[in-house]
Amino acid sequence: TLFPYTTLFRSRDILADSCLKWGQGKKRYDLIVGFPPMGLKVPTPNSLGIEWKSRTISMSDFFISKGADSLNPDGQLIAIAPLSFLNSDGPTGALRRKLIDEGRINTIIQLPAGLLYGSGLPVCVVIINDESQKCDAVCLIDASEFSKKDRRLNILQVDELLQAIDDSNDNCVNVVSTHIIAKNDYKLLPSLYLSKGSDTVINIPDGFKVVSLKDIVTVVRGSKCE
């Protein structure tokens, strides 16, 4: 069963919205695909057992949370979401943490800017599994450089991107364990986990190890430090 997400607009009035009118009863779906309108706020739903600390959330968060809660076993949700879904806090952060802790996020694809007609808003593809397909790692793909200019639009270079994925090019593809993602404050920006082809080789002496700068440094802003 495919969940058909459609929204019809007349001026500023929503005529029909299959997202807010989420099926009849507790329907389950094999595949849910959607590109919910960004910037629209809706009442917080009762889904995924999340204790939302806000009366409203974005339509993207609504769609992802309701969709993830409405999948059949082996079902999948594919959503186009704003790039902020990958690293923002608040309700989005709570949703992202819940999905990562439950092993629900399968793949993240950061898309190039300028793909959307009339908008420079950066977006990503979020692929979520049903809870029966628990993932202990997330495939992170940075496709932000795979575009070409065609008049006023950027066009995704699909063949080149697929080839890079097939080649497991570590400049744009990495499979990262959910344990590492959790240690990195549940951030899902692919660039945080990818090699960008640095030519610098660091030789680590015996008895030493590499650690993150944030683990040994405290930054204090706006006040004096003893």
Side-chain angles (χ1 to χ4, degrees), residues 15-16 26 33 39 73 78 86-87 102 139 144 152 158:
L15 301 182
K26 191 66 175 178
V33 180
I78 303 174
L86 305 183
N87 64 347
E102 293 185 349
C139 180
S144 59
R152 298 176 63 183
V158 177

Side-chain angles (χ1 to χ4, degrees), residues 22-29 66 70:
W22 196 271
Q24 300 296 322
K26 191 66 175 178
K27 279 193 174 181
R28 296 283 176 174
Y29 303 95
K66 291 288 287 186
S70 303

Side-chain angles (χ1 to χ4, degrees), residues 141-143 145-148 155-169 172-173:
I141 301 171
D142 184 358
E145 302 298 324
F146 289 83
S147 67
K148 60 182 178 181
I155 306 298
L156 183 65
Q157 295 176 296
V158 177
D159 292 339
E160 290 83 351
L161 175 59
L162 292 176
Q163 186 62 56
I165 295 172
D166 287 341
D167 294 342
S168 298
N169 187 330
C172 63
V173 182

